[in-house]
Amino acid sequence: MTLLEGSVGVEDLVLLEPLEQEPLLRNLQLRYEKKEIYTYIGNVLISVNPYQQLPIYGPEFIAKYRDYTFYELKPHIYALANVAYQSLRDRDRDQCILITGESGAGKTEASKLVMSYVAAVCGKGEQVNSVKEQLLQSNPVLEAFGNAKTIRNNNSSRFGKYMDIEFDFKGSPLGGVITNYLLEKSRVVKQLEGERNFHIFYQLLAGADAHLLKALKLERDTSGYTYLNQKVSRVDGMDDTSNFKAIQSAMTVIGFSEEEIQQVLEVTALVLKLGNVELADEFQANGISASGIRDRRGIQEIGEMMGLKSEELEKALCSRTMKTAKEKVVTALNVIQAQYARDALAKNIYSRLFNWIVNRINESIKVGTGEKKKVMGVLDIYGFEILEDNSFEQFVINYCNEKLQQVFIEMTLKEEQEEYEREGIPWTKVDYFDNGIICNLIEHNQRGILAMLDEECLRPGVVSDSTFLAKLNQLFSKHNHYESKVTQNAQRQYDHTMGLSSFRICHYAGKVTYNVNSFIDKNNDLLFRDLSEAMWKARHPLLRSLFPEGDPKQASLKRPPTAGAQFKNSVAILMKNLYSKNPNYIRCIKPNEHQQQGQFLSELVAVQTRYLGLLENVRVRRAGYAYRQRYGPFLERYRLLSRSTWPRWNGGDREGVEKVVGELSLSSEELAFGKTKIFIRSPKTLFFLEEQRRLRLQQLAMLIQKTYRGWRCRAHYQLMRKSQIVISAWFRGNRQKKRYGKIKASVLLIQAFVRGWKARKDYRKYFRSGAALTLSNFIYKSITQKFLLGLKDNLPSTNVLDSTWPAAPYRCFHAANQELRQLFYRWKCKKFRDQLSPKQVEILREKLCASELFKGKKASYPQSVPIPFCGDYIGLQGNPKLQKLKNGTEGPVLVAETVKKVNRGNGKVSSRILLLTKGHVILIDTKKSQAKTVIGLDSVAGVSVTSFKDGLFSLHLSEISSVGSKGDFLLVSEHVIELLTRMSRAVLDATQKQLPVTVTENFSVRFKESSVTVKVIQGPEGGRNGKLSCKKKGSRGLEVTV
């Protein structure tokens, strides 16, 4: 076994020193707190439930443990599963994996992990994958019908399960066989406070759809069922609805037909409804008490679902028929007896249904008899139990654990002995506690407790739990592992914890006191023949098949075997099965009672280690040599401790190992050399080797560090020397380059002066006359070309609002630069206009017209620029009356809005609707929606408007027109800019004349034969609020404040 550096605590308890309870618990706690939940005892795996998901599972870890042997990596359930599978596949040895522990210790999860690992590493293929899927899907189905929430565990298995997985010669799964043991059927009718019934009842009520519930005659509310604990209907972290869907899917994958699934659910519903059958007191004519059904509707529904008349079912529940060879006697049952019969029927139906489901799964996953196969068994069974009140169930459970402990001790010793014989090591007998005497006390065919219990159940006369206890006291009064109040009194011992109706057995895991009350009833496990016959008469096919003994043709007066006898036979078959296989053990421990992650209660764990016999396991494993290892790996690990084998050894592995241990002067009593392995007796010797190896590693590390530091310094020196040479060479070269550069520059300067002198001399001689003009033209063309190319590369954006333009570099280009600027701007504008739609062009023309009329003249103009002209401000389309007026006009309405008309005589204002068309201005009464005045555009002589932000304007009409004879109009508009702009354009289109628009604060308004002078003054608000007031100034004056 490899000792891993950095491991937490001791990974294999065989190497624990000292070998006592406290160090063992401290080691488990230390590893648990570091999330190391697995520990070895040799090839036995201890698993402490972490109550959380740890990142140590999945395909990555499966691949990791698949490629290594058992001790090469950290302890893990995958390592144990891998050893079992490889031994089965490669060595052709049948395997079994025994998983034991208390409820809540993680047995079910451990069995799932083993099966998932085996499914992942075995062969592939469509048929193989189908078999693997069926084997894996059997788990959720059995959990639903066989698991329940208990005080200790939210998903506690209430039955023992042994699954034989069968493989072909390649190691691919072919199928399997499941055997179940001792379902806790009493849970069907009664649960402790804080516990639930079996999961399937809650999953059915929560997950079934309304149609299914109606077909099963069920209600979704769990509080309506007597057999369900009302206080605990939900479990944290468990979704009953989705689990029900998963169960239906799993049953389909396994091979259940739709009809079979429906029948299973119907029988499950029958059990629930049986609990709601209320029984009432009745009296026969002779005064003898009897019983009857209180609620007729409930019994009728049950009868309909069974396919049985309700009268026959009521008779079977409320009476009992005693048959002899000569006569038949019918006895009425009182209420208590009838309730017992009802509950017994419910328990038997559910128990037989569970057995039927197991058998049905076996039919789907069974292997043909002709195929040669290898077998791996997985045993997930209840651990040793010591409760406050221990009854018949705890008795048989602890009996099973006694047998498993016996198997473990015998097979471990056998395995040790076989290994010693293979290696040629002398085997010395190991002293250990043989619990065969306890097993014999319970299972002896003539003088065992189970035999006495069966004898008492079969004995005629008055039989009770007390007579059974008296027989035990008489038979085992001097047995060293049996105690009771009677035996203690005989030995003058006083123990207040021992009751008068109790006896105690000294099991391997500790003393357990059993209460004999109900031992007889639970062992008998009787179901009245009337109920069996009634169930057989039912027309429901599945329910009928569950009670074959109800067939009158097969009726037998022979008493059925007792529960104890059946369980004893099952255990005997299981033990025979286990003895025929190579065992692998997983011991599951729960660290606390509250399912809290990170909490480790030493007292609770100590009790479980005693129940599981962990210390006894270690002692048996260490009875001879505590540690053994093959020569090759041992030499590889420890060869550095000998100068002969380090750093290189060319001899054999065994000779190398002998050299190593010889130089360490180890005692010959501590060592034994086998054929392929070295054996070390004491863990202290192994720890001494590890300590020497650690010190040697430190020495080697220092040697490596010293050598490395010397090499690094030498390499650094060589690098610095080389760098210095390079730097010197570069410096000298650079200095010479600079000197050469100065010489070259001087030479070039001299050459330039000489060439210039010669050129000037030749120029003066030949080219002086026309050189100036040529040079100036060349220079001007060059700078012109440079200017134009630079302008090309620096043109501003094509946005018409962008007025930027590059400045001319020289004054001579100023005029040309301005001309180019104008050309570029016009080109941008043309390009912008070409992109406009006709509608956008029209809008811009209107805005241009408004700009020509009012820009810089009227204060309200800037506010109108960003606002598009709307035209219709009165909802012309939605007003039928105005539509009629509109239809009478020619062309479209350019402007429609509500204006205020100022009375020229008294200054009062009144509302009017103004419609501007291409030919007229129409003023309409707002109340009557009738045209008051229609003015042709050819009659409009001009418009006067103020420069303020108000909407006041005067519409001057020509005197020769019919409307103009009445005088001009003084109006107020909220959209005066838009109105006058469109009126100006309409007049221009209609008369081909420009409409005079005068911006002034003083203007005359014609009134019939006379005129009124209007003076507009600005108020405190500056005309922004839109209000105006008029005041008469004599007979010919009107002052308007805006």
Side-chain angles (χ1 to χ4, degrees), residues 178-323:
I178 299 173
T179 307
N180 62 300
Y181 300 96
L182 196 67
L183 176 72
E184 188 191 14
K185 58 185 177 183
S186 60
R187 178 171 294 273
V188 174
V189 299
K190 185 179 181 181
Q191 306 92 42
L192 296 178
E193 185 175 353
E195 297 190 350
R196 292 206 316 178
N197 210 323
F198 291 102
H199 291 326
I200 185 61
F201 295 119
Y202 305 91
Q203 293 168 354
L204 174 59
L205 296 179
D209 55 36
H211 177 73
L212 179 57
L213 284 178
K214 184 178 180 181
L216 299 178
K217 304 183 186 302
L218 295 175
E219 299 292 335
R220 199 172 297 279
D221 186 10
T222 58
S223 62
Y225 299 97
T226 307
Y227 281 166
L228 301 185
N229 194 332
Q230 312 304 326
K231 296 182 180 178
V232 184
S233 60
R234 296 183 181 274
V235 178
D236 294 337
M238 188 176 292
D239 187 352
D240 291 327
T241 303
S242 61
N243 286 345
F244 181 72
K245 301 293 187 295
I247 292 160
Q248 290 179 307
S249 174
M251 293 176 81
T252 303
V253 170
I254 293 169
F256 284 75
S257 66
E258 291 292 333
E259 184 180 359
E260 286 175 328
I261 296 174
Q262 181 68 19
Q263 290 177 7
V264 168
L265 296 179
E266 288 172 354
V267 174
T268 306
L270 279 176
V271 174
L272 269 183
K273 296 186 72 64
L274 270 175
N276 287 356
V277 173
E278 296 186 20
L279 298 158
D281 282 318
E282 293 183 1
F283 293 93
Q284 295 179 336
N286 55 6
I288 298 176
S289 62
S291 59
I293 304 299
R294 179 173 296 171
D295 182 11
R296 307 296 306 177
R297 181 184 174 186
I299 200 71
Q300 287 175 357
E301 289 183 350
I302 295 173
E304 290 174 5
M305 294 178 68
M306 290 182 174
L308 185 68
K309 293 182 179 179
S310 58
E311 293 80 6
E312 293 184 13
L313 180 58
E314 181 178 1
K315 180 181 177 183
L317 287 172
C318 299
S319 63
R320 180 182 181 185
T321 303
M322 304 293 290
K323 293 182 180 179

Side-chain angles (χ1 to χ4, degrees), residues 728-741:
S728 299
W730 275 92
F731 176 76
R732 288 192 293 269
N734 188 52
R735 187 172 62 181
Q736 291 300 323
K737 286 179 183 178
K738 285 184 178 180
R739 186 169 176 271
Y740 169 75

Side-chain angles (χ1 to χ4, degrees), residues 147-193:
N147 288 23
K149 180 199 181 314
T150 64
I151 298 172
R152 299 181 175 184
N153 184 5
N154 287 345
N155 188 30
S156 176
S157 297
R158 308 316 300 161
F159 69 105
K161 180 180 71 173
Y162 177 75
M163 174 183 282
D164 265 337
I165 308 172
E166 301 175 344
F167 299 83
D168 62 11
F169 69 96
K170 301 188 300 294
S172 300
L174 298 172
V177 178
I178 299 173
T179 307
N180 62 300
Y181 300 96
L182 196 67
L183 176 72
E184 188 191 14
K185 58 185 177 183
S186 60
R187 178 171 294 273
V188 174
V189 299
K190 185 179 181 181
Q191 306 92 42
L192 296 178
E193 185 175 353

Side-chain angles (χ1 to χ4, degrees), residues 454-682:
D454 286 350
E455 182 179 316
E456 197 67 12
C457 290
L458 298 173
R459 182 173 63 83
V462 178
V463 176
S464 67
D465 298 316
S466 300
T467 60
F468 165 62
L469 180 59
K471 181 172 288 188
L472 294 184
N473 292 335
Q474 179 183 357
L475 191 60
F476 304 118
S477 59
K478 297 182 180 180
H479 200 289
N480 293 332
H481 293 84
Y482 175 87
E483 295 178 10
S484 70
K485 199 70 172 177
V486 174
T487 61
Q488 287 179 348
N489 291 339
Q491 298 173 8
R492 299 182 182 279
Q493 296 177 356
Y494 176 72
D495 184 0
H496 67 280
T497 62
M498 179 72 74
L500 292 174
S501 61
S502 301
F503 67 92
R504 181 178 295 156
I505 295 179
C506 300
H507 290 280
Y508 77 93
K511 296 182 177 181
V512 184
T513 303
Y514 299 101
N515 188 340
V516 297
N517 289 333
S518 74
F519 259 57
I520 298 293
D521 287 341
K522 291 180 179 178
N523 189 50
N524 274 326
D525 194 24
L526 287 178
L527 181 69
F528 296 152
R529 192 179 302 277
D530 303 67
L531 292 171
S532 298
E533 292 177 351
M535 295 301 102
W536 190 84
K537 291 178 183 177
R539 291 190 297 275
H540 193 282
L542 176 57
L543 184 64
R544 179 188 177 100
S545 67
L546 298 180
F547 294 88
E549 75 274 15
D551 186 358
K553 296 179 181 179
Q554 299 180 7
S556 173
L557 299 178
K558 183 179 178 181
R559 189 182 182 90
T562 61
Q566 292 180 46
F567 188 74
K568 177 183 171 183
N569 294 334
S570 299
V571 169
I573 296 171
L574 175 63
M575 296 302 116
K576 183 179 178 181
N577 204 343
L578 296 181
Y579 276 119
S580 66
K581 296 179 175 62
N582 183 54
N584 303 271
Y585 301 94
I586 301 175
R587 307 298 203 192
C588 298
I589 293 175
K590 65 176 181 181
N592 60 78
E593 291 281 11
H594 310 293
Q595 303 176 30
Q596 295 293 322
Q597 61 186 40
Q599 187 179 15
F600 189 95
L601 300 179
S602 299
E603 299 81 2
L604 178 64
V605 177
V607 172
Q608 293 175 78
T609 57
R610 187 170 71 251
Y611 292 174
L612 295 171
L614 298 187
L615 273 177
E616 187 74 14
N617 293 359
V618 179
R619 289 192 183 99
V620 170
R621 191 71 168 79
R622 284 174 54 168
Y625 294 91
Y627 177 78
R628 69 287 313 266
Q629 180 62 286
R630 291 187 174 275
Y631 289 124
F634 186 90
L635 180 62
E636 182 66 27
R637 185 169 183 81
Y638 297 111
R639 65 190 177 95
L640 52 83
L641 299 179
S642 171
R643 294 184 181 275
S644 303
T645 57
W646 181 261
R648 191 173 294 103
W649 172 252
N650 297 322
D653 292 340
R654 175 166 179 165
E655 291 78 9
V657 172
E658 289 173 348
K659 286 281 186 183
V660 172
V661 298
E663 293 188 19
L664 292 174
S665 301
L666 297 177
S667 172
S668 59
E669 295 179 356
E670 284 290 313
L671 302 172
F673 294 93
K675 294 178 181 178
T676 62
K677 295 181 180 179
I678 180 174
F679 289 73
I680 298 176
R681 186 178 300 279
S682 171

Side-chain angles (χ1 to χ4, degrees), residues 780-1030:
Y780 183 76
K781 289 178 181 178
S782 298
I783 63 175
T784 302
Q785 183 182 21
K786 184 177 180 181
F787 164 64
L788 293 175
L789 291 174
L791 186 63
K792 169 194 168 188
D793 296 334
N794 295 305
L795 286 175
S797 67
T798 57
N799 188 349
V800 294
L801 300 179
D802 186 2
S803 60
T804 60
W805 186 259
Y810 303 104
R811 184 182 294 178
C812 60
F813 296 136
H814 181 72
N817 192 45
Q818 290 299 321
E819 188 66 26
L820 289 171
R821 181 177 184 178
Q822 290 295 326
L823 288 172
F824 182 73
Y825 180 73
R826 290 172 185 171
W827 174 79
K828 283 198 299 184
C829 294
K830 182 179 183 305
K831 187 175 181 181
F832 175 74
R833 289 195 303 272
D834 291 344
Q835 295 174 352
L836 296 177
S837 64
K839 184 176 181 180
Q840 290 175 321
V841 171
E842 185 63 26
I843 291 172
L844 288 177
R845 282 177 178 168
E846 287 182 343
K847 289 291 182 179
L848 178 62
C849 180
S851 172
E852 293 172 349
L853 292 174
F854 300 109
K855 183 177 181 181
K857 299 177 182 178
K858 187 161 179 63
S860 61
Y861 170 74
Q863 299 175 357
S864 70
V865 172
I867 301 173
F869 291 163
C870 176
D872 183 6
Y873 294 98
I874 62 173
L876 190 63
Q877 297 298 328
N879 195 325
K881 294 183 179 180
L882 295 179
Q883 283 287 333
K884 293 180 180 179
L885 294 173
K886 174 197 169 188
N887 296 336
T889 63
E890 73 285 355
V893 175
L894 302 178
V895 179
E897 70 161 328
T898 302
V899 298
K900 295 178 181 178
K901 177 176 175 296
V902 180
N903 191 302
R904 296 156 293 186
N906 53 19
K908 294 183 179 181
V909 297
S910 59
S911 294
R912 293 287 187 273
I913 294 174
L914 184 147
L915 300 181
L916 172 64
T917 66
K918 289 188 176 182
H920 297 84
V921 175
I922 306 171
L923 294 175
I924 301 170
D925 191 342
T926 56
K927 295 180 180 179
K928 298 180 181 180
S929 298
Q930 295 179 353
K932 298 283 288 184
T933 307
V934 178
I935 305 169
L937 292 181
D938 55 350
S939 302
V940 179
V943 177
S944 297
V945 64
T946 70
S947 62
F948 303 136
K949 291 185 178 181
D950 63 299
L952 181 70
F953 70 94
S954 173
L955 194 63
H956 303 295
L957 306 179
S958 60
E959 296 180 7
I960 60 175
S961 65
S962 59
V963 179
S965 61
K966 296 181 181 181
D968 301 337
F969 287 90
L970 194 59
L971 304 173
V972 180
S973 170
E974 293 182 358
H975 308 90
V976 66
I977 301 295
E978 178 181 354
L979 175 62
L980 296 183
T981 298
R982 291 193 169 180
M983 186 181 294
S984 174
R985 297 191 70 201
V987 169
L988 181 63
D989 292 341
T991 64
Q992 304 301 319
K993 295 181 181 179
Q994 196 73 35
L995 175 66
V997 178
T998 306
V999 180
T1000 179
E1001 280 71 52
N1002 297 295
F1003 52 86
S1004 297
V1005 179
R1006 216 164 33 80
F1007 180 48
K1008 294 184 179 179
E1009 300 298 329
S1010 62
S1011 63
V1012 176
T1013 301
V1014 178
K1015 181 179 181 181
V1016 181
I1017 61 176
Q1018 188 171 355
E1021 297 294 329
R1024 287 190 298 270
N1025 58 2
K1027 295 182 179 180
L1028 57 84
S1029 61
C1030 302

